[in-house]
Amino acid sequence: MDIKTEGGNVMKKKNLMRSLALCLCLCLCFAACSGTGGSSSTARPASSSGGGAEPAVQGNSITFPLAEAKEFSLMVSCSYTGDPNDLVINQRIAEDTNVNINWVDLGTGTERLEKLKLLLNSGDYGDGIYSNVSITEADVSTYAAAGVLIPLEDYITEELTPNLWTLKQKSPESFAVETHQDGHIYALPRVSQYRPDYLESPIWINKEWLEAVDMDVPTTADELYKVLKAFKETDCNGNGQMDEIPLLINSTSGYMHFEAWLGMWGIPCKDSTYDSYLVVQDGVVKFAPLMDEYKDFLKFMNKLYSEGLIYNECFTATSAMVQSLLDSPDAAFGVVTTKSLNTNADQYICIEPPTVEGYTPKWYYHPGFMGVKCNFMITDKCDDPQTLMAWIDRYYNPELAFQTMYGPEGIVFDKVDGKFVAKEPPTGVSFQQLAQDNVMEYTGGPGVLYSENFGTLFDLTESQIAGQTAYGVYEKFLNDEVWPRPYLQAEQVSRAGQLRTDIFNTVSQMKAKWITGEADIDATYDQFKSDLEKMGIEEFVSIYQSAYDAFNSAMNG
């Protein structure tokens, strides 16, 4: 691909063909959306210190500030409610680059994706998409197939985009997760490499309750059962009531779900749409509910539930109900899987996964450590993608990335001996509010923060420091074949969704029946497997196997 002509006349001549292709893809993948178009803010002219000469272009490199001002239109959704060009950090970037941005506001919440789709479907859209607009990976695949989103990989060069090039050399997985099955990259990630942030469900146990029942930390599944039984039979929190919840599980929670415990049987997976009960073993994608390990896991959970050792509202509790338990001044539960605890946190300690005979524990690790997808895209409307890519590349310098995510130097932070140090906020204003008032999206947007930046370029937060403890316990148990949530092809998106509905409903229903004892596991499991086969589970897994193979190819390419 000739990147000098990618955004020029050649692309404009293809717009009609792409519009037709888009209509076809949209009919196949989703119904047309309704809504109103986004409003736009007018960018201020930026001063240029480049003189009157043309921009210095050497090979594929571009020198900033540009000699002649350039403007791009970027569609954006952000928590900042004013004109993004009023933000000091954006004014500094404009002055440093002589690139002005016309921000097209998509709003917030669920409406932002509706507005984005309306614009893209109408053909009246900007040069690119910035930050989190709730666009799904399925949407990216669809619009890429229609030609609305252009490939970016040829612009990632040492000369044109040195920061992105560095990221690619240091963390190839960050681009592998953005690589589609056609071999192209249509979006750039946000990368934050603080590893403890991605451990979602370590096990925490109340040490004071252990003392109350005079028992040690459980190291096996059998010991865990005995501890939970002792918790149930003792007034561990000392409130005079036998109201203790030995094990807190909530089937709809992102961290406290049943599948978090599957790691004891060596199956690190989740039941969410993106994870889809999928696990990788030696490069082969498998569906956890069809594995023998899953059946053994169900039997253990059924034993706990039948004896009242699991929260009795585990399948029906709302998030508010669970939160009230977490916030209870009297510790309400003995064991839980979650990232961290606030109320009564000093009572809980993080423990290693209890072992199950015949199995090696492997714990789920969120693939976000590779990168959060879809944080910057360029459309076929852009007549100079080379300059726009050079501009966004600046965000992948950790010093600028930190300021666009957390707040600019001189306003939110001071620079002391090479480290960003938080300033004292004005009276009556919290530090977080000060930061949020000075960035487009607090902690969001394109950019990279490398693992070595944490604690050196800036201080760790209290929650990050707390996360180190659990990560230290679980690092040796983390899965070495992480399910990366790879992209599906546009035509696979719809098919996978169709198959997922019946398959997921069946798994969810039977899981609840088996754990609660409504159905006998041994008597009904073969029929369950047969039902899934009829629903197309082999096709479902094969779709994701092809996506995983493409990810692996990108990693090794």
Side-chain angles (χ1 to χ4, degrees):
M1 180 178 68
D2 181 358
I3 65 175
K4 293 184 180 179
T5 62
E6 176 68 11
N9 293 330
V10 173
M11 291 188 68
K12 292 179 180 178
K13 291 178 182 178
K14 295 180 180 177
N15 280 349
L16 178 58
M17 292 294 290
R18 286 175 172 167
S19 296
L20 293 173
L22 174 60
C23 290
L24 177 60
C25 283
L26 295 177
C27 288
L28 289 172
C29 297
F30 47 78
C33 298
S34 61
T36 58
S39 61
S40 63
S41 58
T42 303
R44 291 184 177 81
S47 62
S48 171
S49 58
E54 292 296 316
V57 179
Q58 301 170 349
N60 285 336
S61 66
I62 291 179
T63 300
F64 292 108
L66 301 176
E68 228 176 273
K70 184 82 178 179
E71 180 173 309
F72 295 100
S73 175
L74 296 181
M75 297 168 281
V76 65
S77 169
C78 60
S79 57
Y80 183 74
T81 56
D83 181 348
N85 288 306
D86 289 338
L87 290 170
V88 169
I89 188 63
N90 287 345
Q91 292 173 359
R92 290 176 182 172
I93 293 170
E95 183 174 355
D96 289 345
T97 61
N98 206 15
V99 171
N100 305 311
I101 303 298
N102 176 32
W103 299 101
V104 180
D105 181 18
L106 299 173
T108 57
T110 56
E111 69 178 22
R112 57 188 175 182
L113 183 56
E114 252 183 52
K115 288 185 177 181
L116 175 65
K117 286 184 176 181
L118 182 65
L119 291 172
L120 295 180
N121 297 351
S122 72
D124 183 18
Y125 48 86
D127 299 300
I129 304 170
Y130 178 96
S131 193
N132 178 18
V133 294
S134 290
I135 190 168
T136 67
E137 297 169 20
D139 294 330
V140 173
S141 296
T142 299
Y143 288 113
V148 172
L149 300 177
I150 69 169
L152 305 179
E153 67 273 3
D154 284 352
Y155 299 102
I156 302 173
T157 68
E158 192 170 8
E159 296 79 20
L160 180 65
T161 52
N163 294 313
L164 284 165
W165 178 259
T166 297
L167 174 60
K168 188 175 182 180
Q169 306 312 304
K170 295 178 70 171
S171 304
E173 67 275 8
S174 297
F175 289 94
V177 295
E178 286 284 19
T179 301
H180 289 245
Q181 293 183 51
D182 62 6
H184 291 305
I185 295 172
Y186 297 99
L188 300 179
R190 176 177 76 251
V191 181
S192 179
Q193 293 184 343
Y194 188 64
R195 294 280 178 154
D197 281 345
Y198 303 101
L199 174 62
E200 290 190 338
S201 302
I203 303 172
W204 300 86
I205 191 167
N206 192 309
K207 62 181 181 181
E208 294 187 5
W209 286 23
L210 281 175
E211 293 173 1
V213 297
D214 193 24
M215 298 181 76
D216 295 327
V217 169
T219 60
T220 67
D222 185 57
E223 289 177 4
L224 175 63
Y225 162 75
K226 292 176 180 177
V227 165
L228 294 176
K229 194 169 180 63
F231 285 171
K232 175 180 172 58
E233 296 169 351
T234 308
D235 180 20
C236 294
N237 59 18
N239 66 355
Q241 303 178 49
M242 299 300 290
D243 57 356
E244 283 72 13
I245 299 171
L247 174 56
L248 179 59
I249 292 181
N250 178 234
S251 63
T252 61
S253 167
Y255 304 149
M256 293 175 276
H257 51 91
F258 276 99
E259 281 69 28
W261 293 90
L262 259 173
M264 288 171 54
W265 287 262
I267 306 297
C269 76
K270 290 181 70 173
D271 65 348
S272 66
T273 298
Y274 289 119
D275 293 280
S276 299
Y277 293 104
L278 298 173
V279 62
V280 182
Q281 292 182 341
D282 298 324
V284 178
V285 178
K286 298 182 179 181
F287 190 65
L290 294 180
M291 301 172 69
D292 291 340
E293 294 91 332
Y294 191 80
K295 188 176 179 181
D296 290 343
F297 148 79
L298 288 170
K299 290 182 176 180
F300 183 72
M301 288 297 161
N302 168 253
K303 177 181 179 180
L304 300 185
Y305 186 91
S306 66
E307 297 190 29
L309 306 183
I310 295 178
Y311 178 42
N312 61 0
E313 300 287 347
C314 56
F315 289 106
T316 57
T318 64
S319 57
M321 292 168 64
V322 174
Q323 192 60 49
S324 68
L325 294 173
L326 294 171
D327 294 339
S328 174
D330 295 322
F333 52 89
V335 179
V336 69
T337 58
T338 189
K339 290 190 77 168
S340 60
L341 293 160
N342 293 319
T343 306
N344 300 311
D346 58 336
Q347 293 186 26
Y348 292 85
I349 56 173
C350 185
I351 66 170
E352 293 186 357
T355 59
V356 180
E357 187 176 356
Y359 297 104
T360 300
K362 287 188 178 181
W363 223 248
Y364 176 84
Y365 194 54
H366 193 285
F369 76 91
M370 303 181 191
V372 179
K373 299 177 184 176
C374 308
N375 268 269
F376 187 79
M377 290 150 273
I378 297 179
T379 74
D380 59 338
K381 298 290 187 182
C382 182
D383 63 1
D384 188 4
Q386 185 173 0
T387 298
L388 187 52
M389 279 292 286
W391 176 82
I392 197 64
D393 179 69
R394 298 169 73 86
Y395 286 69
Y396 289 84
N397 176 322
E399 290 215 8
L400 181 58
F402 179 78
Q403 294 179 77
T404 60
M405 295 179 190
Y406 293 92
E409 179 182 355
I411 297 176
V412 181
F413 296 92
D414 285 326
K415 197 77 172 292
V416 180
D417 296 329
K419 178 187 284 190
F420 288 102
V421 178
K423 293 175 69 72
E424 189 69 28
T427 303
V429 177
S430 68
F431 173 78
Q432 183 167 325
Q433 187 61 55
L434 176 65
Q436 290 174 338
D437 289 344
N438 284 280
V439 295
M440 292 175 64
E441 187 70 36
Y442 184 58
T443 75
V448 60
L449 298 174
Y450 293 108
S451 57
E452 61 264 28
N453 298 141
F454 290 83
T456 56
L457 183 62
F458 47 86
D459 289 321
L460 298 177
T461 65
E462 289 184 9
S463 63
Q464 287 172 335
I465 293 172
Q468 288 179 331
T469 299
Y471 186 76
V473 173
Y474 275 79
E475 186 173 10
K476 62 184 178 182
F477 299 107
L478 297 182
N479 184 28
D480 55 359
E481 288 186 283
V482 174
W483 173 247
R485 300 180 175 181
Y487 281 110
L488 299 182
Q489 293 176 321
E491 64 271 17
Q492 293 175 324
V493 170
S494 178
R495 183 56 180 158
Q498 293 170 359
L499 294 169
R500 182 184 292 109
T501 299
D502 287 342
I503 291 171
F504 268 44
N505 286 342
T506 298
V507 172
S508 296
Q509 291 169 8
M510 292 308 300
K511 177 176 67 176
K513 288 181 178 181
W514 284 327
I515 291 176
T516 60
E518 186 178 337
D520 181 84
I521 297 172
D522 288 323
T524 58
Y525 196 72
D526 286 344
Q527 183 61 51
F528 164 74
K529 293 170 70 174
S530 177
D531 290 342
L532 292 188
E533 288 172 4
K534 294 175 184 176
M535 294 174 188
I537 188 61
E538 288 187 9
E539 181 185 357
F540 182 78
V541 173
S542 70
I543 288 173
Y544 283 98
Q545 181 70 61
S546 66
Y548 183 76
D549 291 343
F551 165 80
N552 261 346
S553 178
M555 277 291 293
N556 300 321

